[in-house]
Short mmCIF file of all heavy atoms in Angstrom, two decimals:
data_model
loop_
_atom_site.label_atom_id
_atom_site.label_comp_id
_atom_site.label_asym_id
_atom_site.label_seq_id
_atom_site.Cartn_x
_atom_site.Cartn_y
_atom_site.Cartn_z
N TRP A 34 -2.34 2.55 -34.08
CA TRP A 34 -1.12 2.99 -33.41
C TRP A 34 -0.59 4.17 -34.22
O TRP A 34 -0.21 4.01 -35.36
CB TRP A 34 -0.09 1.87 -33.35
CG TRP A 34 1.16 2.23 -32.60
CD1 TRP A 34 1.89 3.37 -32.73
CD2 TRP A 34 1.82 1.46 -31.59
NE1 TRP A 34 2.96 3.36 -31.89
CE2 TRP A 34 2.95 2.20 -31.16
CE3 TRP A 34 1.58 0.22 -31.01
CZ2 TRP A 34 3.83 1.72 -30.19
CZ3 TRP A 34 2.46 -0.25 -30.04
CH2 TRP A 34 3.57 0.51 -29.63
N PRO A 58 -8.07 23.79 -25.29
CA PRO A 58 -7.88 24.33 -26.64
C PRO A 58 -8.36 25.78 -26.71
O PRO A 58 -9.35 26.15 -26.08
CB PRO A 58 -8.78 23.45 -27.50
CG PRO A 58 -8.94 22.19 -26.74
CD PRO A 58 -8.86 22.55 -25.30
N ALA A 80 -10.52 9.77 -17.91
CA ALA A 80 -10.63 8.35 -17.58
C ALA A 80 -10.39 7.49 -18.82
O ALA A 80 -10.00 6.33 -18.71
CB ALA A 80 -12.00 8.06 -16.99
N LEU A 124 -1.28 -5.25 -12.56
CA LEU A 124 0.13 -5.58 -12.30
C LEU A 124 0.50 -6.87 -13.02
O LEU A 124 1.59 -7.01 -13.57
CB LEU A 124 0.38 -5.71 -10.80
CG LEU A 124 0.49 -4.39 -10.06
CD1 LEU A 124 0.64 -4.62 -8.57
CD2 LEU A 124 1.68 -3.58 -10.58
N MET A 129 4.39 -7.11 -13.26
CA MET A 129 5.04 -6.50 -12.10
C MET A 129 4.44 -7.02 -10.79
O MET A 129 4.64 -6.42 -9.74
CB MET A 129 4.90 -4.97 -12.15
CG MET A 129 5.72 -4.30 -13.24
SD MET A 129 7.49 -4.40 -12.93
CE MET A 129 7.68 -3.27 -11.56
N ARG A 183 2.77 -3.15 -26.74
CA ARG A 183 2.33 -3.90 -27.91
C ARG A 183 1.36 -5.01 -27.51
O ARG A 183 0.31 -5.19 -28.11
CB ARG A 183 3.56 -4.50 -28.62
CG ARG A 183 3.49 -4.46 -30.11
CD ARG A 183 4.84 -4.80 -30.71
NE ARG A 183 5.82 -3.74 -30.52
CZ ARG A 183 7.13 -3.93 -30.50
NH1 ARG A 183 7.64 -5.15 -30.64
NH2 ARG A 183 7.95 -2.91 -30.35
N GLU A 184 1.71 -5.74 -26.43
CA GLU A 184 0.83 -6.82 -25.96
C GLU A 184 -0.52 -6.26 -25.51
O GLU A 184 -1.57 -6.78 -25.88
CB GLU A 184 1.46 -7.53 -24.76
CG GLU A 184 2.38 -8.66 -25.14
CD GLU A 184 3.13 -9.15 -23.91
OE1 GLU A 184 2.52 -9.21 -22.82
OE2 GLU A 184 4.33 -9.47 -24.05
N LEU A 194 -1.15 6.40 -28.97
CA LEU A 194 -0.51 7.56 -29.58
C LEU A 194 0.87 7.66 -28.99
O LEU A 194 0.99 7.84 -27.78
CB LEU A 194 -1.30 8.83 -29.20
CG LEU A 194 -2.17 9.46 -30.27
CD1 LEU A 194 -3.35 8.56 -30.52
CD2 LEU A 194 -2.63 10.82 -29.80
N LEU A 271 35.83 7.62 -24.24
CA LEU A 271 36.30 8.98 -23.98
C LEU A 271 37.23 9.03 -22.78
O LEU A 271 38.25 9.72 -22.82
CB LEU A 271 35.11 9.92 -23.76
CG LEU A 271 34.34 10.30 -25.02
CD1 LEU A 271 33.18 11.18 -24.67
CD2 LEU A 271 35.25 10.99 -26.03
#
Side-chain angles (χ1 to χ4, degrees):
Chain A
W34 183 313
L124 283 176
M129 290 292 289
R183 219 169 289 155
E184 272 171 39
L194 255 70
L271 285 178

